[in-house]
Amino acid sequence: MSSGSTPTVLYNGAAIPAAAIPRLPIERWQRAVLDAVASGGRVCAMFGTRGEAGRPLLTAVVARDDAGMLEVAHGEVPEERLPSLAQECPEVHLFEREIAERLGLGLEGHPRPGPVRAAPGAEPVLGPLDFPRVEGAEIHEVAVGPVHAGVIEPGHFRFQCRGERVLQLDIRLGYQHRGVERALLAGPGKRRIHYAETLAGDTSIGHATAYAELLEGLGGTAAPLRAQALRAVALELERLANHTGDLGALAGDVGFLPTAAHCGRLRGEWLNLTAELCGSRFGRGLVRPGGVRFDLEPARVERMIARLDAALRDVASSVELLWATPSVLARFEDVGRIDAMVARQIGLVGLAARASGLARDDRVHHPSGMYRFAHIPLSIWRSGDVFGRAWVRWLEIQRSAAFVREQLAALPRGEVRGEPPRPRASRFCVSLVEGWRGEICHVAMTGAAGELAGYEVVDASFHNWTGLALAMRDQQISDFPLCNKSFDLSYCGFDL
Amino acid sequence: MIRILRARIQQGQRTIAYPAEPPSLPDRFRGRPRLDASRCRDGCNVCTTACPTDALAVVEGSPRLDLGRCLFCGECEAACPAGALSFGSDHRMATRAREDLLVSDATLRLADALEERTRRIFGRSLRLRQVSAGGCNACEADVNVLTTIVFDLSRFGVQFVASPRHADGLLVTGALSRNMELALEKTWAAVPEPRLVIAVGACAISGGPYVDHPEVLNGVGCKLPVDLYVPGCPPHPVTILDGLLRLLGRIDAEGNAAS
């Protein structure tokens, strides 16, 4: 493929020279994105920076899941305006809003323009908001948030309803915006790993691993194999904790208290296993560029396996109650449905995509670290409703527990920490990690001295909030908590 | 029904005995730090250099750690060549005053109970409205855990409520993002007096990893008067529980459960 006219191919975690990325005129760049999506690709990341002389420079990273590869191209914007692709390619709609917000570009022809998280110095997000309104005598509007009724993160939800039926839900976020993506580039270097660990606190291992593998890719090095195995163990424990907690919360949302009560505790069992490994229930302090900070001695491995078996047995007895209880199934089935076509159009990722029948899992399609050697089966269901998202969680709990057990029983020998990687000059690298919600995408560029010159983060939530909004259409407004929990998206991972 | 009962019996009784018995914590848990300035070498500052949030400072030749900024990452302990600094297994760390979080030796002035009048009002029944304002959701997660059967917060008369009008105080997490400033103000205005503010986690106390970012206000203390500080990133649930019980006078200074 000749460089300069078509997108450049690269692979997860492997850096390429920044100069190898073609710069296309905006029309050609947009055509390339549309063609890639039309032929089965999906947009992992799309962002804008200011290049030479302050000119806007766009970047698109598209994943070709079937071929296990990525494609990247820059687009040059001649004027301070961006014609929108969102009508033809809905999955880019938030990316375009983000580009417009960050660079201050005019967005033309976008079906739903608006703020994403509001840049520093902008007006607070909570102001007079011009939400699209449904008009009519029997229409009423319900506004919720940013402070919610439970112990959860802030966000604003605006429902247009006819009676109990939701016609339209608009989700406005940005309340957790704390400048963490900006600071990953501009802040003190010694704080970067902590920024990565707190991009989304319930996904500390996922984001820290994406960050570490990105730096290792830029440096052309890899963590020792034993460290890669321990990262994978921690990543699956993170998945186990969150999936278990979510199944409990879903049970709570339909008033089925046995599973709600048990899983509330059992989530903690997985977190405590992570703490057994590294002292922190959220895996803080474990993953570092170049390896991990904690090793497992044989006695600890044995202890962890015994606790894992006990936790899985308790989770199974509790979760299986859900599938054996008709009143639970009646509340899960046919609620909040996203079919495969819509899921594909909006670029859904992770467990929500798999629950709608899409085979999307970076551990399978773009494996990095230990997942290159130890495979984990895809867990797929096709119903796309709350039941599907619950069921896929249960399937993944079983797969992840088996994976962790297998890894612990046969950890590779050797060191757990090598030299911290030194990024090479003028490189571009993409790091994909399948977090418990879905794809975590970190992108970085280095400058002429190997310094970080660009850093972008896309949490799975960035893709999937649109899924929640669409899942609520034509549903009872009282089902919102249930639908919301079935996605369980991150506010802070979106707000950055 | 039989299945539910069978599962219930299998799950067993899981509520911890805290505070009557000490909590069980993992051996690698990084709890309350101890500093020993006598081991420090002159002019050494490897710990302050290693600290990601500048929680450590060398004051008159001795290290001083601000627990309110500390992420408990342990980088300083790993870097110190003299073993002058270590994170212990003690989970108790909540204080009433911001300056009590400045640690320069092995001691820490833990939180006293509320003054008699407010304690009479809140001691047996405290309703809190949680406000999440610019953090990473880990503190929220470990606050939420207190309501599970493991900690069973309601046995102490403490509950989280949906409306600030039903609340006796706010439990705030996050560095207080500018985007949440107005929402916090409005929530606070809706809480009837007398009322409390509890800052949970490094972000809410000092801004945490986001300290001095233009997008945040360096913690809830910049806006509201704080009655209890619970350090950590995030604090262990039992650290939060310990702080709440001390504030309510349910644990005395010696750590015994008071009636």
Side-chain angles (χ1 to χ4, degrees):
Chain A
M1 229 178 251
S2 63
S3 78
S5 59
T6 52
T8 299
V9 170
L10 75 165
Y11 296 91
N12 181 16
I16 56 168
I21 304 172
R23 291 182 172 220
L24 310 177
I26 182 72
E27 300 80 15
R28 287 261 302 285
W29 180 80
Q30 292 192 323
R31 177 45 54 195
V33 170
L34 288 177
D35 288 349
V37 169
S39 57
R42 59 182 178 82
V43 179
C44 294
M46 183 186 263
F47 53 90
T49 49
R50 290 275 174 189
E52 302 93 59
R55 294 275 284 282
L57 182 68
L58 308 186
T59 307
V61 179
V62 173
R64 299 279 192 177
D65 292 336
D66 48 356
M69 65 185 203
L70 307 169
E71 292 174 343
V72 59
H74 291 308
E76 289 182 315
V77 188
E79 294 167 63
E80 294 292 304
R81 57 182 193 82
L82 177 66
S84 172
L85 290 182
Q87 291 283 11
E88 287 171 87
C89 180
E91 69 181 272
V92 302
H93 81 108
L94 263 175
F95 285 119
E96 288 185 338
R97 277 165 54 167
E98 187 187 35
I99 291 167
E101 178 171 282
R102 189 191 298 178
L103 301 183
L105 301 186
L107 194 51
E108 289 178 355
H110 193 287
R112 188 67 58 80
V116 176
R117 52 182 79 95
E123 286 298 302
V125 180
L126 187 73
L129 302 175
D130 54 337
F131 286 99
R133 286 185 108 140
V134 179
E135 300 291 339
E138 294 179 346
I139 304 299
H140 66 105
E141 191 178 56
V142 179
V144 182
V147 180
H148 298 264
V151 183
I152 44 170
E153 299 182 78
H156 185 85
F157 302 99
R158 190 72 65 97
F159 300 89
Q160 312 289 323
C161 302
R162 181 163 185 270
E164 292 292 299
R165 212 181 66 174
V166 176
L167 301 174
Q168 161 103 9
L169 162 62
D170 282 280
I171 301 171
R172 190 64 56 91
L173 303 174
Y175 298 95
Q176 294 273 55
H177 181 53
R178 55 210 186 282
V180 61
E181 185 186 44
R182 177 190 58 71
L184 267 164
L185 190 61
K190 61 181 179 179
R191 220 183 279 176
R192 277 198 197 117
I193 183 66
H194 304 280
Y195 287 135
E197 286 182 337
T198 61
L199 281 162
D202 51 26
T203 317
S204 292
I205 295 290
H207 276 287
T209 301
Y211 167 76
E213 290 185 349
L214 188 63
L215 286 204
E216 287 154 11
L218 289 168
T221 58
L225 200 56
R226 189 173 172 89
Q228 295 179 22
L230 291 174
R231 285 177 186 174
V233 163
L235 186 69
E236 296 309 321
L237 286 174
E238 191 166 80
R239 192 180 324 275
L240 284 160
N242 284 292
H243 282 6
T244 303
D246 282 344
L247 288 174
L250 285 168
D253 278 337
V254 299
F256 187 66
L257 297 185
T259 304
H262 306 155
C263 285
R265 168 191 66 99
L266 290 163
R267 171 180 167 276
E269 291 297 307
W270 303 120
L271 296 177
N272 291 340
L273 267 174
T274 303
E276 183 75 18
L277 168 59
C278 69
S280 157
R281 286 156 56 86
F282 294 86
R284 301 286 163 85
L286 177 66
V287 179
R288 291 293 180 267
V292 294
R293 265 179 59 199
F294 295 90
D295 201 354
L296 293 179
E297 65 277 19
R300 194 179 295 268
V301 169
E302 264 179 47
R303 216 156 56 225
M304 285 180 71
I305 289 177
R307 286 173 62 178
L308 178 134
D309 288 343
L312 183 64
R313 190 183 57 236
D314 285 355
V315 171
S317 91
S318 173
V319 168
E320 280 169 354
L321 293 178
L322 293 175
W323 325 129
T325 307
S327 62
V328 170
L329 295 179
R331 293 283 288 108
F332 281 9
E333 285 170 354
D334 276 329
V335 175
R337 185 187 289 276
I338 295 281
D339 66 32
M341 194 185 74
V342 172
R344 197 180 296 280
Q345 280 177 346
I346 61 176
L348 217 59
V349 295
L351 81 91
R354 293 192 286 278
S356 290
L358 300 191
R360 291 184 174 179
D361 188 330
D362 288 341
R363 293 171 296 174
V364 174
H365 302 296
H366 306 275
S368 61
M370 203 60 201
Y371 299 101
R372 292 169 301 160
F373 312 112
H375 297 168
I376 202 155
L378 262 171
S379 300
I380 292 197
W381 195 250
R382 290 194 174 77
S383 62
D385 51 4
V386 170
F387 172 78
R389 289 184 286 276
W391 182 249
V392 168
R393 282 181 169 92
W394 169 230
L395 296 177
E396 294 191 355
I397 284 173
Q398 298 168 80
R399 304 293 170 266
S400 293
F403 179 91
V404 171
R405 203 177 193 296
E406 189 184 300
Q407 290 302 312
L408 286 176
L411 283 173
R413 289 172 212 276
E415 296 296 310
V416 296
R417 198 168 186 186
E419 284 294 305
R422 281 219 299 271
R424 291 166 293 174
S426 308
R427 299 275 155 161
F428 177 94
C429 191
V430 177
S431 171
L432 301 177
V433 168
E434 187 72 20
W436 64 272
R437 284 190 183 91
E439 178 175 280
I440 296 165
C441 174
H442 287 211
V443 183
M445 285 136 283
T446 52
E451 81 285 4
L452 279 185
Y455 204 102
E456 299 293 325
V457 176
V458 186
D459 186 79
S461 308
F462 195 83
H463 301 279
N464 286 7
W465 276 111
T466 306
L468 173 62
L470 295 183
M472 275 309 293
R473 288 202 177 160
D474 253 344
Q475 303 297 301
Q476 300 280 308
I477 190 169
S478 52
D479 276 338
F480 177 66
L482 182 63
C483 289
N484 192 17
K485 193 37 103 175
S486 75
F487 284 87
D488 194 15
L489 301 174
S490 175
Y491 301 71
C492 56
F494 179 99
D495 292 345
L496 302 176
Chain B
M1 191 66 203
I2 296 290
R3 282 184 72 125
I4 292 173
L5 289 173
R6 204 183 296 141
R8 174 68 192 83
I9 291 163
Q10 189 203 317
Q11 301 284 338
Q13 151 74 27
R14 297 291 186 166
T15 306
I16 59 170
Y18 195 83
E21 288 172 26
S24 134
L25 294 164
D27 60 333
R28 287 177 172 173
F29 173 69
R30 290 181 293 281
R32 195 172 115 197
R34 289 164 186 277
L35 277 63
D36 182 357
S38 68
R39 293 178 179 227
C40 289
R41 297 168 189 170
D42 277 348
C44 174
N45 62 355
V46 294
C47 60
T48 57
T49 311
C51 180
T53 54
D54 302 320
L56 270 159
V58 175
V59 182
E60 291 166 7
S62 300
R64 192 183 70 187
L65 175 58
D66 181 356
L67 283 188
R69 280 177 91 137
C70 181
L71 305 184
F72 294 79
C73 63
E75 297 284 0
C76 52
E77 183 178 2
C80 177
L85 209 151
S86 63
F87 287 85
S89 59
D90 193 345
H91 63 282
R92 301 168 303 164
M93 280 180 281
T95 69
R96 292 293 306 279
R98 181 69 181 87
E99 56 272 21
D100 288 344
L101 292 171
L102 300 173
V103 176
S104 48
D105 50 28
T107 61
L108 178 69
R109 183 189 156 90
L110 293 172
D112 293 325
L114 287 165
E115 298 67 29
E116 190 53 33
R117 192 179 83 89
T118 36
R119 188 182 155 188
R120 276 218 312 277
I121 298 171
F122 298 139
R124 286 168 180 280
S125 165
L126 181 69
R127 299 286 181 269
L128 294 171
R129 169 64 261 190
Q130 201 273 332
V131 179
S132 168
C136 78
N137 195 34
C139 287
E140 289 82 347
D142 265 354
V143 166
N144 234 341
V145 155
L146 293 179
T147 61
T148 64
I149 53 173
V150 178
F151 298 92
D152 192 15
L153 189 63
S154 57
R155 71 193 148 122
F156 304 105
V158 184
Q159 281 178 354
F160 292 100
V161 292
S163 168
R165 296 189 195 284
H166 302 157
D168 304 314
L170 301 182
L171 187 152
V172 183
T173 51
L176 187 45
S177 54
R178 293 200 179 274
N179 287 343
M180 271 303 285
E181 193 180 350
L182 180 61
L184 180 69
E185 271 174 31
K186 288 186 171 184
T187 309
W188 177 240
V191 180
E193 294 186 47
R195 54 191 171 171
L196 304 174
V197 176
I198 298 166
V200 171
C203 285
I205 299 173
S206 69
Y210 320 120
V211 57
D212 294 335
H213 284 196
E215 295 87 353
V216 305
L217 283 98
N218 287 352
V220 61
C222 301
K223 201 86 191 169
L224 304 178
V226 177
D227 296 282
L228 184 72
Y229 297 89
V230 186
C233 187
H236 193 280
V238 80
T239 304
I240 307 171
L241 178 59
D242 175 77
L244 289 171
L245 295 182
R246 280 173 197 280
L247 185 71
L248 298 177
R250 306 290 291 263
I251 299 182
D252 62 24
E254 282 75 48
N256 299 316
S259 57

